[in-house]
Amino acid sequence: MPLNKEQQEVLKLLKEIDTICRKYQIEYYLSPKLTLHAVTGNPMPGSPLAGAVVMKLPDMERFRKVMETELPDRRVLESMKDNKRFPGLFLRYENTDTLCLRLNEGRNFQHPGIGVDIIPLRAGRAPAKVRSWDRRLETGWVQTCDRGRSETNFYRFVCGCWVRIAGIFGREKLGGRIYDRLCKNQDTDGAKRYRLQWNRDTEYVYPADVFEETKEIVMEGEKFLIPGREDVYLSKTFGADYESRISDKNKMSLSLIVSTQVSCDDFLRENGSLKKLVKARRRQFLADNYVKRYKDYFDWCWNYAKYCAARRELVPFYEDKKEYIRHLWEEKDYARLGEELKPFGKMMMRSLNRDEICDVDEEILEIFLEYLGAVGKVRLRARIEGYRN
């Protein structure tokens, strides 16, 4: 099947990256998804967002410095070093003669053309305190970008506030300092494993020997590099049944504008800075989030009501069995006693998950605690007693 224009553009950008890397002996690897399609002989993914390669972080920094002098005409390489809204520690190699604008992400890219993401393999060999501080800086930076506003929690909120304060006197310089710090503290020499942080909530860990050698593979008639142990690379990413994970239902999102005929610079020049669009998106997100919070609250209330009802059902259940359970405990018949206390134990675990305990019957609770101590489940007993105290 012939490639569409967007696929052809992504393939061309991948080949340009391959050419530069081979010229300067910079190691790179196709992303797991592209590797999977190439290894299984399937066509190239149809999504214009599927273009991605992986590099060890020092190699990614070498590539960035090389491209300062080797950048082809009508191409740009964006990063945190030169874009105060760039959403993370990676590079994006783009064709400015095309358009690939994700409306739901605001203006994360200064030149939103069709591009290829260059994602780093991290080693994380710095001391624990340094890694913790780096994680806060990176989380805060992403949280203050347009794309980072879609999801938040208390940790991300605090990190974002700190980065906003630190960026008062120049966000561009702050981005460059964070980028340099992360590159310095992610030295991969002697690493035993690598982490691939695909997005804010998804991370893959690979043994270092997966990337000791590279292997050539042909995709759509062009030669590219993949890890030497591609089976481990793919199984760690997609699972042992990775060959069955091919899925390329390319449904274009309504928030995505893609064109190979329109220059991204001309589009932005004619449509302005898109600030109104970003503000409208933000207002809609807040409205949707307000509704979602109330829905979550009502769902929680309903689930808690069902939980309380299930607890009350234990009272009549054990009312008739209390004498029998007391007899089993006196006879130390732990096998039968355990069977009789199973419903109480299940409800106790549900209660502990809600930071409370099931104490609908004090006598049954006392026998249950004594039973836990007798069968050696001292940690669970201590946890329950901690809530009682």
Side-chain angles (χ1 to χ4, degrees):
M1 182 181 294
L3 301 180
N4 60 36
K5 292 181 178 180
E6 289 80 12
Q7 287 174 300
Q8 293 174 17
E9 195 60 48
V10 172
L11 187 66
K12 185 190 301 181
L13 294 173
L14 287 170
K15 193 58 188 174
E16 290 176 9
I17 292 175
D18 173 80
T19 301
I20 294 293
C21 289
R22 290 178 189 267
K23 179 179 178 181
Y24 289 93
Q25 298 181 343
I26 298 174
E27 288 187 347
Y28 82 93
Y29 319 93
L30 289 181
S31 70
K33 184 173 184 179
L34 291 177
T35 301
L36 178 59
H37 280 253
V39 167
T40 56
N42 283 274
M44 184 178 172
S47 172
L49 306 179
V53 298
V54 175
M55 295 182 184
K56 296 173 184 175
L57 208 153
D59 289 328
M60 187 187 82
E61 176 62 1
R62 282 181 58 208
F63 181 85
R64 187 191 67 81
K65 291 180 178 179
V66 165
M67 296 305 283
E68 290 178 352
T69 57
E70 292 281 343
L71 200 63
D73 188 35
R74 306 302 298 167
R75 302 287 189 269
V76 294
L77 185 70
E78 293 193 48
S79 70
M80 291 168 59
K81 292 282 287 185
D82 50 29
N83 181 353
K84 65 180 182 180
R85 293 293 172 187
F86 195 79
L89 181 64
F90 66 99
L91 308 178
R92 183 162 176 83
Y93 183 63
E94 300 162 326
N95 179 3
T96 58
D97 284 330
T98 61
L99 178 66
C100 184
L101 185 65
R102 286 165 271 196
L103 299 178
N104 64 327
E105 294 182 2
R107 280 296 310 279
N108 287 133
F109 305 127
Q110 291 177 338
H111 306 275
I114 292 177
V116 172
D117 292 337
I118 302 171
I119 306 172
L121 288 168
R122 311 173 186 223
R125 299 177 62 243
K129 289 184 178 179
V130 175
R131 293 200 308 271
S132 177
W133 185 243
D134 289 347
R135 188 160 50 250
R136 294 190 187 103
L137 287 174
E138 186 176 2
T139 300
W141 176 268
V142 175
Q143 188 64 32
T144 57
C145 298
D146 288 332
R147 186 166 68 177
R149 295 178 182 176
S150 60
E151 301 174 350
T152 190
N153 54 33
F154 182 74
Y155 174 76
R156 291 172 179 171
F157 174 77
V158 172
C159 293
C161 289
W162 191 93
V163 169
R164 287 188 182 92
I165 294 172
I168 290 177
F169 301 104
R171 186 176 170 87
E172 295 88 348
K173 293 181 180 179
L174 176 64
R177 291 199 300 270
I178 294 176
Y179 179 92
D180 291 336
R181 176 188 173 93
L182 294 175
C183 289
K184 178 182 177 181
N185 294 335
Q186 291 288 337
D187 184 19
T188 59
D189 290 341
K192 295 183 179 179
R193 62 180 184 174
Y194 293 106
R195 296 184 297 110
L196 178 61
Q197 191 170 323
W198 194 253
N199 55 45
R200 299 181 75 179
D201 301 310
T202 306
E203 180 180 277
Y204 304 107
V205 180
Y206 307 101
D209 59 359
V210 171
F211 305 99
E212 285 183 356
E213 297 179 357
T214 57
K215 182 188 297 184
E216 274 193 347
I217 198 166
V218 177
M219 182 176 67
E220 303 297 345
E222 300 287 355
K223 293 181 179 180
F224 297 101
L225 299 179
I226 63 173
R229 298 186 60 192
E230 76 278 4
D231 55 335
V232 180
Y233 184 51
L234 296 176
S235 62
K236 289 287 185 180
T237 307
F238 302 107
D241 58 339
Y242 61 84
E243 292 186 358
S244 63
R245 296 298 184 91
I246 289 289
S247 176
D248 191 30
K249 298 177 181 179
N250 184 25
K251 295 181 179 179
M252 193 72 73
S253 171
L254 295 176
S255 63
L256 183 65
I257 303 175
V258 181
S259 175
T260 59
Q261 308 298 320
V262 178
S263 165
C264 63
D265 294 332
D266 292 341
F267 177 85
L268 295 176
R269 193 179 303 114
E270 293 175 7
N271 291 275
S273 65
L274 302 182
K275 286 185 178 179
K276 290 183 178 179
L277 178 65
V278 173
K279 289 181 178 180
R281 178 186 66 85
R282 179 61 176 165
R283 286 195 296 270
Q284 186 61 48
F285 165 72
L286 291 174
D288 293 343
N289 203 33
Y290 177 81
V291 175
K292 182 179 180 299
R293 287 200 302 271
Y294 265 86
K295 180 180 181 300
D296 292 342
Y297 172 70
F298 289 132
D299 288 345
W300 180 88
C301 290
W302 174 242
N303 291 331
Y304 191 76
K306 292 192 294 184
Y307 155 75
C308 291
R311 285 206 333 178
R312 289 181 63 86
E313 290 174 359
L314 286 179
V315 176
F317 178 79
Y318 280 109
E319 191 65 34
D320 298 332
K321 293 190 173 187
K322 193 177 295 185
E323 186 67 32
Y324 178 57
I325 290 175
R326 192 183 300 120
H327 173 73
L328 292 177
W329 170 246
E330 291 173 353
E331 295 295 326
K332 301 190 183 305
D333 190 347
Y334 299 135
R336 289 196 179 96
L337 183 62
E339 287 296 321
E340 294 296 332
L341 292 176
K342 263 188 180 180
F344 191 86
K346 290 180 179 179
M347 185 55 63
M348 181 63 74
M349 295 308 299
R350 288 180 61 183
S351 301
L352 291 174
N353 290 335
R354 295 175 179 274
D355 292 327
E356 53 185 273
I357 61 172
C358 178
D359 54 357
V360 293
D361 190 299
E362 282 294 331
E363 186 175 359
I364 296 295
L365 177 60
E366 289 294 341
I367 294 176
F368 181 71
L369 290 174
E370 295 295 334
Y371 165 76
L372 292 179
V375 298
K377 297 182 179 180
V378 291
R379 288 188 179 180
L380 178 57
R381 176 176 175 172
R383 184 181 174 189
I384 296 171
E385 290 179 336
Y387 280 103
R388 291 185 75 189
N389 298 332

